[in-house]
Amino acid sequence: MAWAILFLAGLLEVGWAIGLKYTDGFSRLWPSAWTISAMIGSVWLLAIAMKSLPVGTAYSVWVGIGAVGTVALGIILFEEPADFARMASVALIVAGIVGLKLSSA
């Protein structure tokens, strides 16, 4: 169950990272409200997951999910480049996430 909670926390991290783009420096009410809510929810779920997962593993996986998801949505929503170097780097992050998951008790 902790892994599912951690995955949801990572998805919320993607939501707030992308949400920052839409807040216009926190000058737009609803995007700002969503972004702040996603921040709080993401950290809260991370804290719950850390009750039973190692802190280093949980935090690294959370950041990894956020990074990979944010890169993917940046490519889709904002037409950021998807060149070989970026995709290879994302693949390395995914490999690290998988490695941490497999090596956790």
Side-chain angles (χ1 to χ4, degrees):
M1 186 61 147
W3 285 103
I5 291 169
L6 183 59
F7 182 75
L8 289 174
L11 292 180
L12 284 175
E13 185 186 3
V14 174
W16 70 255
I18 294 297
L20 285 172
K21 184 82 167 172
Y22 292 102
T23 67
D24 196 26
F26 288 106
S27 65
R28 298 178 60 213
L29 177 62
W30 295 114
S32 297
W34 157 252
T35 299
I36 292 167
S37 297
M39 287 175 173
I40 293 167
S42 180
V43 173
W44 179 65
L45 290 173
L46 174 63
I48 291 171
M50 281 187 178
K51 286 182 176 182
S52 59
L53 295 174
V55 66
T57 300
Y59 183 76
S60 298
V61 169
W62 179 68
V63 169
I65 292 169
V68 170
T70 302
V71 168
L73 285 181
I75 291 167
I76 294 166
L77 297 174
F78 308 121
E79 299 178 7
E80 294 176 359
D83 56 34
F84 177 78
R86 288 187 78 183
M87 294 301 96
S89 298
V90 168
L92 289 171
I93 295 169
V94 171
I97 293 169
V98 171
L100 286 169
K101 169 69 170 98
L102 292 176
S103 66
S104 292

